[in-house]
Amino acid sequence: MKAIPAIDLREGACVQLVGGSYADERVRVKDPVDALKRWRAHGFSSFHVVDLDAALGKGSNEDAIRALLAHEPGLTFSVGGGIRSTAKVESVLALGASSVVVGTRAIEDFSWLREVAERFPGKVVVAADVKGREVVTRGWTEGSARDIVTVLESLEPLPLRGLLVTAVHKEGQMEGVDLPLMEAVRRASRHPLFASGGVTTVEDLRALGRAGAAGAVIGMALYTGRLDAGLVAQEFA
């Protein structure tokens, strides 16, 4: 399993929020490339970039994304946040993203998801953001009334790169992961699982690895120093 530092973008900066709440920002790095350099120095080579402003329809951080993806050859970036059109998927891949993360429209419009997955096979990651067991959309602000397992069943035939499952109720709280949720996802889907939300300790990462996750996105615990980046990189980068 691979540990993947998160680079969440807001107003051109790299930030960390608790539970996705704009009112509860705990970390801010003015230049996202500085965050990238910090994690590269420890040996990480895969990164998860999210445009929080685009996800909520409050703007765009495309310049910051462009700078991150152009910084150093050979790195792997998944990029998401407000990607709701085929043209946007294509443009993000053209910038150099290894994969594109689609959430709200993917959950709400299966025919569109099938179209982009088939047009860009192995390049599309579906973000299933979960509160309890309900999938939520639009920057975690709206419920879908759909259980995560039901959603996953519809995705099985598609040529996806994987699933990014975020336990929203754990996000940014540094209280551990929702392991039963991630285990249920692995049982329900053949697609590679990238887990997010609540990773706090090395043991959390090991537990996700035992559960069959292909990767784990880490945010708050890395940025606050709760997790030792060097030790994590040695075992999981």
Side-chain angles (χ1 to χ4, degrees):
M1 192 195 71
K2 181 169 286 191
I4 306 166
I7 302 179
D8 296 346
L9 303 174
R10 177 186 185 186
E11 301 163 342
C14 171
V15 303
Q16 284 292 293
L17 310 179
V18 175
S21 171
Y22 265 44
D24 202 352
E25 179 182 301
R26 299 290 178 88
V27 173
R28 176 171 284 247
V29 181
K30 184 176 180 180
D31 185 349
V33 172
D34 289 340
L36 175 65
K37 290 177 180 177
R38 176 180 175 184
W39 307 133
R40 281 294 294 130
H42 287 289
F44 293 99
S45 60
S46 294
F47 303 91
H48 177 59
V49 179
V50 179
D51 188 335
L52 296 174
D53 294 321
L56 292 176
K58 295 183 176 182
S60 171
N61 289 278
E62 184 171 331
D63 289 346
I65 293 170
R66 190 185 305 274
L68 288 165
L69 271 57
H71 178 68
E72 179 184 343
L75 303 182
T76 299
F77 291 94
S78 60
V79 177
I83 298 176
R84 295 171 185 150
S85 72
T86 305
K88 185 66 174 177
V89 172
E90 189 168 21
S91 68
V92 170
L93 290 172
L95 287 177
S98 305
S99 59
V100 174
V101 181
V102 293
T104 295
R105 189 173 178 190
I107 300 300
E108 297 177 348
D109 185 351
F110 180 78
S111 62
W112 174 76
L113 173 61
R114 181 171 55 201
E115 173 196 327
V116 295
E118 292 177 350
R119 182 171 174 182
F120 307 104
K123 296 289 189 180
V124 175
V125 175
V126 172
D129 299 334
V130 183
K131 283 185 178 179
R133 290 296 181 272
E134 181 189 17
V135 174
V136 295
T137 59
R138 302 188 182 278
W140 305 348
T141 62
E142 294 187 14
S144 69
R146 299 176 68 192
D147 181 84
I148 177 62
V149 172
T150 303
V151 171
L152 295 179
E153 289 172 352
S154 68
L155 305 180
E156 282 302 279
L158 302 181
L160 302 174
R161 168 70 182 93
L163 309 169
L164 173 66
V165 178
T166 298
V168 175
H169 48 287
K170 294 286 191 177
E171 184 70 17
Q173 299 184 35
M174 293 192 292
E175 295 177 352
V177 299
D178 186 339
L179 197 59
L181 168 64
M182 301 308 172
E183 290 171 339
V185 170
R186 283 298 300 129
R187 289 192 298 268
S189 178
R190 67 180 177 84
H191 295 301
L193 165 64
F194 299 92
S196 178
V199 174
T200 308
T201 66
V202 171
E203 184 51 40
D204 286 335
L205 292 168
R206 291 172 181 153
L208 289 170
R210 290 193 295 269
V217 177
I218 316 175
M220 190 73 77
L222 274 184
Y223 283 89
T224 60
R226 179 77 173 268
L227 264 175
D228 185 314
L231 292 178
V232 171
Q234 285 178 14
E235 189 168 346
F236 296 102

